[in-house]
Amino acid sequence: MATPTIAKVIPVSEPKSLPYNSHVEPSPDTKEIIDIEHVPVNDDPRRWSYARKTATLCIVSLATMVSSSASNMQNSSNILIRTDLHATNNQISWTLAAFILVQGNFPLIWSAIAEITGRKVIYLLSSGLFVVGSAVLALSKTIEVMIAMRTLQAAGSSAFLAISAATLADIYDTHERGTMMGVFYAAPLLGPALGPVIGGLLSQAFNWRAIFYFLLICGVIIFLFFLILFKDTYRCERSLTYYSALQRRSASRGPVRHSSQSTIAGSEFSKNQTHDKDLEKQFQLPVVPEKIPSATPTPGPDNVRLSIKDINPFPPYFQILSRKNNVLVLTVNGLVFGFNYCLSYTCERTLANVYGYDALSVGLVLLCLGIGSVAGSIIGGRWSDRVVGKMVKANGGQWHAEMRLESSKLTMLWIPLSLIGYGWACDKHLNVAVICVMLVLIGFTTIWMYASTLAYLVDANPGRSAAAVATNSSFRGSLAFLSVLIAVPLQNAWGDGILFTGWACVLAAAELLVIIVVHKGESWRKGNEENERKMLSK
């Protein structure tokens, strides 16, 4: 791929959230290196028209809604599947748990590939896998085939959840991301809410196989949308992962040419550098030309072109985990996501076993959780942007990523209270209207906080948005996998009252982690950046 030609570096007064590379030789009047997110590129996605941005948002939102609905659309029909395929309760649990685990961790692969090939290729490959998995599921005759195809279906759907957030980071700037992330995340929240309703309707009208025929049709439509209507938002000049892979590849070909001969991704190497020192940990930072309005393509070092074999998905993963602020927020997001899966799974069992509800009625009650979640995501995202705007103004126009988390404090008191209320309402078999109210409140408050923490991960990791979101997906998928496996045994042993009182304590502890990041995150990030600079200077 082409890389930008570099002219003179623009002096900037405010240090950006990027480590400095000791091998870069800036011009004498350079004070700092500019944020990678604002490197000039050809056909800048952030300068696209409102209509094109909205079309992109709608396409990726539809894909994520279908992807997330696939995780639990069968839940309201589990009894029918168990009877038809002669399966055990444990095997039925594995059809959900395996899906969650793969969907959570496979994005590590997709996100790494997407930083080389672009977003569109990944969307097409993953939607193809989703179509194949759905087709075989609709025809499956044994529970073992069903579990295997659920993993394939999950691998295909996982790219939508991970890459879509990076796609939005490509087209929306920091000041509008909170709102757009909130709008976007309403789709994957609406999916699990509508999934049981649609699944119940299809199962009662036809049979449980109709669920997977429906997902097959949705997958084909999404594939065509990405093939015909979607324009790739990826620009390699704004990807640290791309620069790292380019450097590793060029080093394997021999020393990079001197700065007088070529430039690599906007960074000039010192003349005698041989690049034989821990290249996996090095990455190049772009600098912005003073007079060139957009990136001028030039060949890379020795005309290197990167391919899939240049990708190692684990360094970006460990780079994200090397920062304490990221680990704490990832833990919070994982716990929130794990709780939500535990809630929807155990609620379905309570409504079916205690209240005697059929598949459609169970889906309609669970829709309350989705309604609250969608409202919390959209309103919480807008409120987050508003709070950030006020804080930036009060701070003299200076911004840091931790401002994004301030808005989450508003719902922290209500999260544990709503969990306790729901648990004991189920335990005491109160009127289902009380359960519905509690589900709306739980969805609203938990996702209000999640909208801020997800946007924070993108803001706090410039140039690594896909890796950050993929790591987040891994955390939440792994914790959701564990929560689904232990949900039924704990519900049987403790009952809903004690179970969700325990979850209230867990999420209260998670709220404390968010508060810690609000107060300590900025200093931690600066410390990590300084350590990275020292490491690279050795």
Side-chain angles (χ1 to χ4, degrees):
M1 286 187 184
T3 55
T5 299
I6 302 305
K8 192 177 180 180
V9 181
I10 297 177
V12 293
S13 57
E14 178 68 12
K16 304 298 179 182
S17 301
L18 288 171
Y20 180 81
N21 192 320
S22 62
H23 302 310
V24 175
E25 295 181 355
S27 56
D29 59 342
T30 303
K31 294 181 181 179
E32 293 289 346
I33 295 177
I34 202 165
D35 187 349
I36 190 173
E37 290 203 8
H38 298 95
V39 172
V41 295
N42 289 321
D43 190 22
D44 190 343
R46 291 180 188 156
R47 297 183 180 273
W48 285 354
S49 66
Y50 176 80
R52 180 170 288 281
K53 286 185 176 182
T54 302
T56 302
L57 174 63
C58 290
I59 292 172
V60 298
S61 296
L62 175 63
T64 54
M65 183 171 69
V66 173
S67 172
S68 59
S69 68
S71 65
N72 71 343
M73 189 174 288
Q74 72 171 62
N75 280 5
S76 56
S77 306
N78 279 338
I79 295 178
L80 300 177
I81 297 172
R82 185 181 63 193
T83 302
D84 189 30
L85 299 183
H86 308 290
T88 66
N89 286 327
N90 187 51
Q91 288 173 321
I92 293 295
S93 295
W94 268 101
T95 63
L96 177 61
F99 187 97
I100 296 171
L101 183 64
V102 174
Q103 190 182 63
N105 288 280
F106 210 82
L108 293 173
I109 307 297
W110 289 132
S111 64
I113 300 174
E115 294 297 327
I116 301 296
T117 64
R119 318 293 189 210
K120 184 168 184 172
V121 173
I122 300 304
Y123 284 134
L124 292 174
L125 287 174
S126 60
S127 57
L129 287 179
F130 183 81
V131 167
V132 172
S134 299
V136 179
L137 277 165
L139 301 172
S140 59
K141 301 296 183 181
T142 65
I143 190 64
E144 290 79 12
V145 170
M146 187 173 188
I147 293 173
M149 288 301 101
R150 285 285 280 170
T151 61
L152 180 64
Q153 190 186 47
S157 67
S158 63
F160 304 144
L161 296 171
I163 307 301
S164 293
T167 299
L168 296 188
D170 293 338
I171 64 176
Y172 293 112
D173 219 332
T174 304
H175 68 278
E176 53 188 347
R177 267 187 209 152
T179 297
M180 293 304 137
M181 283 290 186
V183 173
F184 157 73
Y185 203 71
L189 292 172
L190 190 59
L194 294 176
V197 178
I198 297 173
L201 284 171
L202 292 172
S203 294
Q204 290 189 357
F206 304 101
N207 56 49
W208 65 266
R209 297 181 188 277
I211 295 173
F212 298 105
Y213 282 118
F214 174 79
L215 291 174
L216 169 62
I217 295 171
C218 291
V220 171
I221 293 173
I222 291 170
F223 179 87
L224 293 176
F225 277 170
F226 280 120
L227 180 65
I228 300 171
L229 302 177
F230 181 79
K231 184 176 181 180
D232 206 336
T233 62
Y234 173 74
R235 299 295 180 268
C236 64
E237 296 90 345
R238 291 176 175 171
S239 170
L240 288 176
T241 303
Y242 178 84
Y243 295 140
S244 180
L246 180 62
Q247 184 179 349
R248 291 195 302 270
R249 182 71 178 275
S250 61
S252 68
R253 295 285 189 91
V256 178
R257 288 176 287 182
H258 295 166
S259 60
S260 60
Q261 297 172 305
S262 67
T263 56
I264 300 175
S267 296
E268 300 177 5
F269 293 104
S270 59
K271 294 183 178 181
N272 296 320
Q273 180 66 32
T274 59
H275 305 286
D276 58 353
K277 298 180 181 179
D278 201 10
L279 288 168
E280 285 293 326
K281 297 180 180 179
Q282 297 186 30
F283 50 87
Q284 301 308 111
L285 301 180
V287 291
V288 178
E290 183 176 22
K291 298 182 180 179
I292 298 177
S294 62
T296 303
T298 64
D302 299 319
N303 296 318
V304 170
R305 287 185 176 275
L306 302 185
S307 62
I308 301 299
K309 65 182 181 181
D310 296 295
I311 300 170
N312 183 350
F314 296 105
Y317 178 80
F318 292 122
Q319 286 167 355
I320 297 298
L321 295 181
S322 67
R323 300 192 172 192
K324 288 186 288 186
N325 59 303
N326 287 340
V327 172
L328 294 189
V329 172
L330 288 166
T331 301
V332 172
N333 289 350
L335 291 173
V336 169
F337 200 75
F339 158 74
N340 272 281
Y341 264 96
C342 178
L343 172 65
S344 60
Y345 191 33
T346 56
C347 183
E348 179 267 329
R349 296 182 75 250
T350 298
L351 293 173
N353 297 334
V354 177
Y355 289 83
Y357 280 15
D358 59 21
L360 179 58
S361 299
V362 169
L364 291 173
V365 173
L366 288 175
L367 184 61
C368 295
L369 178 64
I371 292 172
S373 299
V374 170
S377 180
I378 295 175
I379 299 173
R382 290 185 177 274
W383 182 259
S384 175
D385 278 347
R386 182 178 179 181
V387 170
V388 169
K390 288 184 176 181
M391 293 184 69
V392 168
K393 185 177 180 180
N395 199 35
Q398 302 300 312
W399 175 87
H400 58 85
E402 285 66 33
M403 291 179 178
R404 180 67 68 188
L405 298 175
E406 286 288 342
S407 61
S408 64
K409 294 179 180 179
L410 190 61
T411 61
M412 286 186 175
L413 174 64
W414 298 101
I415 291 176
L417 293 179
S418 60
L419 267 63
I420 293 172
Y422 165 81
W424 289 105
C426 291
D427 197 81
K428 300 301 180 181
H429 306 163
L430 299 184
N431 190 285
V432 74
V434 179
I435 295 177
C436 290
V437 171
M438 290 295 102
L439 288 174
V440 171
L441 186 58
I442 288 172
F444 184 85
T445 54
T446 56
I447 302 306
W448 177 292
M449 183 171 72
Y450 185 84
S452 295
T453 53
L454 179 62
Y456 170 78
L457 282 176
V458 175
D459 291 343
N461 296 278
R464 299 192 186 107
S465 58
V469 176
T471 306
N472 180 70
S473 180
S474 176
F475 262 65
R476 72 182 194 177
S478 298
L479 289 177
F481 168 77
L482 293 175
S483 72
V484 167
L485 289 183
I486 66 174
V488 173
L490 292 180
Q491 185 184 36
N492 291 338
W494 295 346
D496 288 320
I498 297 178
L499 173 61
F500 288 99
T501 299
W503 268 115
C505 295
V506 170
L507 292 192
E511 293 171 348
L512 293 177
L513 298 182
V514 174
I515 293 175
I516 291 172
V517 175
V518 169
H519 294 285
K520 297 288 188 179
E522 184 179 14
S523 62
W524 284 346
R525 284 191 297 107
K526 289 181 178 179
N528 286 326
E529 290 162 11
E530 183 63 28
N531 290 336
E532 288 173 356
R533 293 170 187 168
K534 292 178 179 178
M535 181 183 300
L536 293 173
S537 65
K538 292 180 180 180

